[in-house]
Amino acid sequence: MHLGDQEPSGGAAPGEVLSALIGIAGGERGAAWASFDADGRVVAVGGALAPHGLERLAPGDALVHAALWLEGLPVPPPRRMVLPALAVARHHVDVHLWPTSSSAEGPVAGPVAGYMVVVDSTLRVRERATVLERLNEANLLQEQLAGAERGRNSARLERSEALGALGVEVLERGGDGLFRPQGAPSEWLAAVCGWEGALDRVISGEDPLSFLGAFLAEAEETLDGDSPALLRSGMWSQVIAGREEVFEAFAMVLSTGRRIVMVERLDLRYRERQELLQRAREASLSHEAARRGVEHKDVLLHCIVHDLRAPLASIAGALRLLRGSGEGAARPAVAADQARELLDIALRQADRQDALIRAVLEVFHAEVMDLERFDDDPRSAPDLVEVALDGVERARPAFLERGVRLVLGAGAPAAAPVVGARDRLARVLDNLLQNALRHSPQGEAVEVSVAAGPDGPALLVSDRGAGVPEGLQGLLFRRFVRGTAGGAAGLGLYYCRMTVERWGGSITYRDRDGGGAQFHVQLRAARAVSSAPPAPGA
Amino acid sequence: MIRRKICLLGAFAVGKTSLVRRFVHSLFDERYQTTIGVKIDKKLVLTTTHDGRALEVTLVIWDIHGEDELQKVRASYLRGSSGLLFVVDGTRRATLDVALELEARARAEIGDIPTRVLLNKADLVDAWEVDPAEVRAASGGRWAPVATSARSGAGVEEVFQSLVRAIALADAGQDTPPEGV
């Protein structure tokens, strides 16, 4: 039925309103109308009645909507009053009501109090439902995404918790380029990153003073590169809460593009690696020391052979002269006094060779076997005064022969028991005297004295030779160091130092006032209570 | 107070860790304990500025593992350093070559910064295979080595103090020549 086919007796609906409603309804077939009186009863109906169920209305029927509307409700605007959708069949309709005329007090009384227009809003409702459905879908999707993110966060925290239990903490780089922990950081991570008490727990590669800061700077470069790979920091240690802790960090880009840094607190892995490296390096050091030892022995052997050969040449020469036959041509027999002189030369050279061999043997012996032997009991310890007196007497003939005086200095105590071994102490003195004799000009004196000082008894051997050149003084007590006078293997002073240092003593050199050399052997006084000597060089 | 980072570099077993231990804690341990990676320590040091003012410096000391075929020093460890200490073991000639190589790499990475060279194990001078003159010659005269002994402490405090002073002066744009003995 076409709108307007049946005009209400009380007057048609206002054309302007109907036009608007028809527009809303999507065409004339989308609307029906009914006029009603002041009691809300139908006066007339029209428009597209069937689709909206208005065909069942007859004049006089009560219109519930109109009645409600007429029940003293505030007067609605004359148009566009929309009541909740009325479901008819599968259609949705909007019901519009308006008075024939209105004032502030309400509809005006008359045969037709107002009009009700029913408009098919199915299309709009469906559209709205579609929109709503999409909105709901979007909301649902958003909720699903949020749920998934919550799930991921939860999983991340769980992973973080599990890694934390294994001593691994994870830092993730944010959009601002700073790295943050994924959960509450452990105390050690806070200490490593310098976060103690800090509110903003972030770390960047701009602090090269902290190891992690320096590593992050390197990591940024690598991770920003064309082919980012896993980057290891290498191990590092620092003291945290008074304890040395060891760490290692790893930087990587995950498949999602996230950049993370894992910091691991090491213990067992570090110890295993440390042990392996320690062994390897100790082996390397041992090998190096052995190689140096062999080299030194080679040099020593060369020196010994050279020094032993020199006296032999003199002895052989003297013997050949005595036999009266030189190489190649016969020689006349030597006179008796010349023969004695040749024998003396041979004997001296033999003595010299013997002394060299003894020196070598003593050094080797002292080095490998007899280093710890000494006496510090004052009842049996060697008396330095006695050793000095004996040594002077023993050396006197050699000094006489060379025209060098040997004197015992004044002021020696009656006795001076010292830590040491008598035979080796005597050997120390012999070495110093031989050294002094070698460097003393004829007619000068070598003085041996014993002094009691606050550090213990000391033995001093002084000569009037040329002294030791300054460049040689620092090397004087090393092996194979020889002065310009020659005649020694360069082991005598080395033996002296090694021996007295084993007893907790020392030996030093100084230029003597007025020219010459002075060797000062400082020893420890033997006391009633034994005590081990300090380690050499300590 | 300012913070400055210094690094100790050298071959393995030259005594870097012992020198730091002596300087920071006044301790020495006879046992050799190889270093893996980097050991970081700190010490507050008092020095003077170019105009004679007292200056407190928190020294962040990076004791970097010894260089050999098993561990190579990463150049990135040196970034941000204000000073370097190169340690040579006087009893091992080969450690001088390692120190020279490390110095060349360090200069390439971070340029010229205050440097000191320590000829360590002065307590074993009898066993030295290399002396200060040889170190000077090998470095082309650039190095004036300081004889040190972590065992006795000889020269240790002095060389660290000397480096800190050089850093303070470098901060002020002034150069100081290295002090050797």
Side-chain angles (χ1 to χ4, degrees), chain A residues 195-417:
Chain A
W195 290 334
E196 298 101 325
L199 293 175
D200 199 12
R201 288 164 172 164
V202 294
I203 185 164
S204 75
E206 291 174 4
D207 180 12
L209 269 64
S210 86
F211 187 92
L212 202 51
F215 173 64
L216 288 179
E218 188 183 359
E220 295 274 17
E221 287 173 16
T222 306
L223 299 185
D224 286 342
D226 293 335
S227 52
L230 176 73
L231 183 69
R232 297 175 69 141
S233 72
M235 296 179 186
W236 85 94
S237 66
Q238 63 188 85
V239 176
I240 292 175
R243 192 182 153 196
E244 187 173 293
E245 302 272 7
V246 186
F247 309 96
E248 183 163 20
F250 307 85
M252 64 195 84
V253 182
L254 302 181
S255 58
T256 55
R258 288 166 55 213
R259 288 154 190 232
I260 64 166
V261 166
M262 298 173 73
V263 187
E264 183 179 5
R265 184 161 70 157
L266 304 168
D267 189 18
L268 185 64
R269 195 154 66 85
Y270 168 76
R271 284 181 205 290
E272 285 171 352
R273 190 163 168 209
Q274 217 263 348
E275 201 172 312
L276 282 173
L277 201 60
Q278 179 87 18
R279 276 189 210 160
R281 288 192 161 162
E282 278 174 354
S284 175
L285 287 173
S286 299
H287 177 260
E288 212 173 310
R291 181 188 54 76
R292 281 203 307 273
V294 169
E295 281 174 8
H296 286 164
K297 295 289 180 202
D298 286 348
V299 174
L300 177 64
L301 193 62
H302 176 80
C303 290
I304 290 169
V305 168
H306 181 266
D307 285 341
L308 289 178
R309 212 178 148 192
L312 269 182
S314 298
I315 293 167
L319 290 176
R320 283 194 190 96
L321 285 171
L322 279 173
R323 194 177 66 177
S325 59
E327 277 182 31
R331 287 185 182 178
V334 295
D337 55 341
Q338 199 181 357
R340 195 174 299 110
E341 193 181 335
L342 287 170
L343 281 173
D344 285 346
I345 290 171
L347 279 171
R348 275 203 301 276
Q349 294 303 321
D351 287 344
R352 184 180 157 208
Q353 196 174 47
D354 179 58
L356 285 172
I357 291 170
R358 273 200 299 142
V360 170
L361 287 176
E362 275 170 349
V363 166
F364 282 153
H365 192 241
E367 276 189 344
V368 299
M369 294 183 65
D370 201 26
L371 288 173
E372 305 302 331
R373 181 169 64 83
F374 62 91
D375 198 342
D376 62 351
D377 184 340
R379 290 165 301 183
S380 54
D383 179 359
L384 185 60
V385 176
E386 209 174 278
V387 169
L389 284 169
D390 289 353
V392 166
E393 288 311 311
R394 198 165 51 247
R396 199 175 294 284
F399 276 71
L400 278 173
E401 189 180 3
R402 289 280 305 274
V404 178
R405 288 180 293 125
L406 181 58
V407 297
L408 202 60

Side-chain angles (χ1 to χ4, degrees), chain B residues 79-126:
Chain B
R79 287 180 196 169
S81 298
S82 298
L84 300 174
L85 291 173
F86 293 97
V87 186
V88 176
D89 179 351
T91 68
R92 289 155 64 212
R93 174 69 179 73
T95 63
L96 173 58
D97 300 331
V98 175
L100 285 165
E101 191 193 320
L102 285 169
E103 192 229 7
R105 275 159 51 193
R107 282 160 68 94
E109 178 67 22
I110 56 172
D112 280 326
I113 59 170
T115 294
R116 292 290 180 271
V117 178
L118 289 73
L119 192 53
N120 197 32
K121 305 193 184 176
D123 51 291
L124 301 175
V125 69
D126 288 351

